[in-house]
Amino acid sequence: MIPGGGQPNMQQLLQQAQKMQQDLARAQEELANTEVDGQAGGGLVRATVTGAGELRALAIDPKAVDPEDTETLADLIVAAVQAANQNAQTLQQQKLGPLAQGLGGGSGIPGLPF
């Protein structure tokens, strides 16, 4: 039986919510400082983004550079950045998914893709 006539302990609920909020903030900070890579063209183009999706670096192998065909290079760059961002989203889901579920399912948290 719950003390207080079946009412949850509000102080305890507030403390749990505060802890979840702190855990979420810590996980978001960790994501912002974690870098993930994506590549295209068999590694000719590599993009590095943070777990939060911020582009940090772009490496282009000289073999990918053809002055007569800049469209292919542009496509490789876009593909590498997209791959890196997909890896960042996977990392976000791994880090924030359990926390978001603890806060009521995740889909109600603004700014999160899940």
Side-chain angles (χ1 to χ4, degrees):
M1 179 158 190
I2 299 173
Q7 294 297 317
N9 181 335
M10 291 306 287
Q11 184 66 27
Q12 186 178 11
L13 288 175
L14 288 173
Q15 287 173 347
Q16 287 175 343
Q18 255 183 337
K19 183 186 180 316
M20 282 189 215
Q21 191 175 26
Q22 289 168 349
D23 290 347
L24 183 60
R26 191 170 24 258
Q28 287 172 325
E29 183 179 341
E30 189 177 319
L31 281 171
N33 293 320
T34 301
E35 293 184 347
V36 293
D37 292 321
Q39 62 175 325
L44 290 174
V45 176
R46 293 180 181 273
T48 302
V49 300
T50 66
E54 177 188 345
L55 182 63
R56 287 275 175 93
L58 190 61
I60 302 171
D61 187 303
K63 289 183 259 178
V65 180
D66 177 357
E68 301 297 317
D69 184 13
T70 57
E71 284 182 32
T72 297
L73 178 57
D75 289 345
L76 290 174
I77 292 169
V78 168
V81 171
Q82 287 175 336
N85 279 327
Q86 181 61 46
N87 291 337
Q89 287 181 351
T90 299
L91 183 63
Q92 286 173 5
Q93 289 173 349
Q94 290 170 351
K95 295 273 184 197
L96 300 180
L99 293 171
Q101 288 174 357
L103 291 171
S107 60
I109 298 177
L112 295 183
F114 47 93

